[in-house]
Amino acid sequence: MANNNIGGASGDINDLAGLPKRVNLGQNKKRLSGQVSAGHAHIEGDMALGKRCITALRSSGEFSRATQGFHAYPARLHPEAARLLLEALPGESLGDPFCGGGTLLVEGLIAGRRVYGSDLNPIATLVSTARTALLSSAQLDLLAETCKSVAETAKKTCAEKKPIHLHAAILKYKSWYKTNCFDELTHLFAAIRSLDSEIKPLVQAIFSSLVVKYSLRASDTSNKVVYIPRKNGAVLRAFSDKAKEYIDQLAQLQAIVPPGTESAKISLADARHPGFDAVDTIITSPPYPGTYDYLLLQQLRQAWFDLDMRNEDEIGSRRSFKQTRAAYEKWLKDTDQWMAACAKALVHGGKMAVVVGEGMQGGRLLRVAKPTIAAAQKAGLSFVTSASVDRFDPATRMKKIEYILVFEKPDKKSIDKRETASKD
């Protein structure tokens, strides 16, 4: 078995950026400088908006509205949190420069907004495109017929043991599959590869949803090897079942998205150069420092689709934190860059919400709130509120804090007044 473990790095840090001041309501019930907290929740700035953000942060449990249950994706924002944030930050458009699997984009469509998403990861754009697809009845029928044809073709060629040409990247990871599962995936892949249709990416996304589940990997976020007995035909049946489930989810999405809502516009782009502009709301969850290697987590899918996923510039990747201080300083610079780019894409008077949590390396917390606020203010945004909840991490047995930080881009009148006052 090849050694493909996605491991963490160790390091040491001293006196990294600190947190904003917080007041514990249990110790002092007097409101102080607009700051208040309740239990393990803390708010600074706009109290009303902060409370709504706390409710969003506390979202939990199973959730399956429309396409939100389609295709696993690591560290996704809870769909209910996305919905609550959209309600708290009304507008006509929505941009997410770290769109991942498209959770926010789906909720944006349901809210009737013009939706724009981008991500550096091509698997992210594949999944988010699949989750946000608005198809007519005729297109849904075509998708169903196409998936049925793919399944039948794969079953036939698999039974005939027809040889399939595979590129080297797939063969490199063949040992991550039981032989029967690999053979069935191979024949499905070949049938999909031959498609010539605008809905091909949606069929690829269905296939993608099976790539890790029917491998020896424990999950999408772990390379621990697990052996699960799989009978012959299991992958082929799973493809057909997943296709039917996905088509039902797409029909649900189409039914609840307001008529006239435009399709989501999703691009493969680095957040430091997002693929959108002139939006009145940005809601996003950038990579927490040192939390995941998002591109490496997709190594099996990268192999099947033969993707060129250059990951040297991936923000906050765990592998980059082998030298923790240098990596943290780079994360700070990257935060300045993507924040400046997003501030430019935001219209005057528009708001941005950033969902971000503390990272951890070498037993030390990597602070995120203060530098993110500093980056926003450097980019010309005004601080509105900071809402946070304390979370206990059972893996490290330490308390970590997760934040929703909200900023606003001043309107032109405010800027003109400020410039006039400075001249006087």
Side-chain angles (χ1 to χ4, degrees):
M1 178 66 66
N3 181 11
N4 295 294
N5 286 326
I6 304 172
S10 61
D12 188 28
I13 52 176
N14 293 292
D15 193 30
L16 297 180
L19 297 169
K21 285 176 113 181
R22 297 180 288 144
V23 176
N24 191 308
L25 187 61
Q27 297 173 351
N28 184 353
K29 294 187 179 182
K30 183 179 180 181
R31 183 172 295 186
L32 224 145
S33 301
Q35 299 177 355
V36 68
S37 64
H40 295 292
H42 310 275
I43 300 170
E44 180 178 353
D46 185 319
M47 294 293 105
L49 180 56
K51 288 177 181 178
R52 299 179 76 173
C53 291
I54 292 295
T55 303
L57 283 170
R58 285 176 167 165
S59 299
S60 62
E62 295 296 321
F63 197 91
S64 59
R65 179 165 57 233
T67 53
Q68 294 290 21
F70 174 69
H71 204 299
Y73 202 84
R76 63 180 298 194
L77 183 67
H78 195 282
E80 189 64 7
R83 183 187 70 80
L84 291 169
L85 282 174
L86 283 163
E87 287 183 354
L89 301 173
E92 296 182 356
S93 56
L94 168 70
D96 183 356
F98 296 97
C99 71
T103 298
L104 270 159
L105 308 186
V106 171
E107 295 302 317
L109 289 177
I110 294 171
R113 300 209 190 182
R114 296 193 312 277
V115 169
Y116 305 86
S118 61
D119 203 287
L120 182 66
N121 188 337
I123 299 300
T125 57
L126 175 71
V127 176
S128 55
T129 296
R131 281 191 184 158
T132 58
L134 298 177
L135 303 187
S136 66
S137 296
Q139 289 172 316
L140 287 173
D141 289 342
L142 175 61
L143 179 58
E145 291 169 7
T146 302
C147 289
K148 181 180 179 181
S149 175
V150 164
E152 290 174 349
T153 299
K155 183 178 180 179
K156 182 175 182 292
T157 58
C158 198
E160 294 172 348
K161 299 188 183 302
K162 182 178 179 180
I164 302 295
H165 173 72
L166 299 173
H167 49 260
I170 297 178
L171 296 174
K172 177 182 177 182
Y173 289 96
K174 183 177 180 179
S175 59
W176 277 99
Y177 295 91
K178 294 186 68 177
T179 300
N180 62 332
C181 291
F182 184 78
D183 288 345
E184 292 173 29
L185 283 168
T186 295
H187 286 272
L188 281 170
F189 176 78
I192 295 169
R193 183 172 55 188
S194 66
L195 293 177
D196 182 17
S197 170
E198 62 180 11
I199 63 170
K200 181 176 179 177
L202 306 187
V203 186
Q204 289 177 316
I206 296 170
F207 176 85
S208 175
S209 72
L210 307 177
V211 164
V212 174
K213 184 175 181 179
Y214 287 90
S215 74
L216 300 180
R217 274 180 59 171
S219 70
D220 273 69
T221 56
S222 171
N223 264 3
K224 180 181 178 182
V225 175
V226 294
Y227 292 92
I228 300 174
R230 306 286 191 187
K231 294 182 179 180
N232 290 339
V235 175
L236 296 176
R237 287 191 295 274
F239 176 83
S240 295
D241 291 345
K242 194 68 177 178
K244 291 175 183 176
E245 178 186 56
Y246 173 51
I247 291 167
D248 286 344
Q249 292 170 337
L250 286 175
Q252 292 171 26
L253 179 66
Q254 181 68 47
I256 60 178
V257 169
T261 302
E262 298 177 11
S263 298
K265 295 175 176 59
I266 300 168
S267 58
L268 184 66
D270 191 307
R272 288 160 288 204
H273 307 281
F276 57 83
D277 59 13
V279 293
D280 58 35
T281 308
I282 293 176
I283 303 176
T284 194
S285 183
Y288 303 2
T291 301
Y292 280 126
D293 290 308
Y294 284 96
L295 292 177
L296 284 179
L297 287 175
Q298 302 296 346
Q299 57 191 333
L300 293 180
R301 296 184 178 101
Q302 175 184 0
W304 280 101
F305 294 117
D306 197 20
L307 297 171
D308 181 12
M309 292 168 64
R310 302 181 187 278
N311 50 39
E312 294 85 356
D313 284 336
E314 185 181 10
I315 295 174
S317 64
R318 182 176 293 178
R319 66 191 175 281
S320 70
F321 274 78
K322 291 179 180 179
Q323 299 295 327
T324 308
R325 177 167 289 282
Y328 182 76
E329 289 174 353
K330 185 177 186 306
W331 182 85
L332 295 176
K333 291 178 182 178
D334 289 337
T335 299
D336 283 346
Q337 290 176 357
W338 74 254
M339 185 68 78
C342 287
K344 186 177 179 180
L346 198 63
V347 300
H348 288 284
K351 286 187 172 65
M352 175 192 292
V354 180
V355 184
V356 65
E358 295 175 325
M360 185 174 294
Q361 286 294 328
R364 299 290 186 88
L365 289 175
L366 304 173
R367 306 298 189 182
V368 296
K370 187 175 180 179
T372 302
I373 292 171
Q377 292 175 334
K378 193 183 301 183
L381 302 179
S382 300
F383 172 80
V384 177
T385 194
S386 167
S388 64
V389 293
D390 299 345
R391 301 192 188 282
F392 178 73
D393 183 354
T396 59
R397 302 190 63 79
M398 292 182 69
K399 182 183 75 174
K400 298 169 69 174
I401 303 175
E402 189 168 17
Y403 297 86
I404 294 178
L405 306 169
V406 181
F407 309 99
E408 183 174 23
K409 186 170 182 176
D411 57 36
K412 291 184 178 180
K413 288 183 179 180
S414 298
I415 295 173
D416 290 342
K417 283 182 180 180
R418 196 179 305 165
E419 291 177 348
T420 301
S422 64
K423 290 177 181 178
D424 293 343

